[in-house]
Amino acid sequence: DNGAFVGVWKDEAFALWKSQWQSLYDKASGAWALLQEIHETYYLVSVVDNNFVTGDIYALFDKLCD
């Protein structure tokens, strides 16, 4: 469900990114700055194979990596 993913999961995932991981580091550290940059510039992507009985979502990634 795109609405649930974009409206809830994305916000929750990025909030946890900052509150759980980034909070472990001092604000002056390179690790904190890296996590901040990732938070501000990366996208959260959800890939779903709707053929969950016989599908092979990993085949798609294998083709992309070749």
Side-chain angles (χ1 to χ4, degrees), residues 5 10 14 42-48 61:
F5 176 74
K10 175 186 69 70
F14 280 116
Y42 280 40
Y43 292 93
L44 182 62
V45 176
S46 175
V47 179
V48 177
F61 296 110

Side-chain angles (χ1 to χ4, degrees), residues 20-49:
Q20 298 295 312
W21 293 346
Q22 192 178 34
S23 66
L24 297 173
Y25 300 98
D26 184 79
K27 285 188 177 184
S29 72
W32 193 96
L34 174 64
L35 292 170
Q36 183 66 25
E37 179 182 348
I38 292 170
H39 176 267
E40 293 175 356
T41 61
Y42 280 40
Y43 292 93
L44 182 62
V45 176
S46 175
V47 179
V48 177
D49 185 353

Side-chain angles (χ1 to χ4, degrees), residues 56-66:
D56 184 10
I57 197 166
Y58 298 105
L60 168 68
F61 296 110
D62 287 340
K63 288 180 184 178
L64 291 172
C65 292
D66 286 341

Side-chain angles (χ1 to χ4, degrees), residues 4-15:
F5 176 74
V6 173
V8 177
W9 295 109
K10 175 186 69 70
D11 294 338
E12 183 176 345
F14 280 116

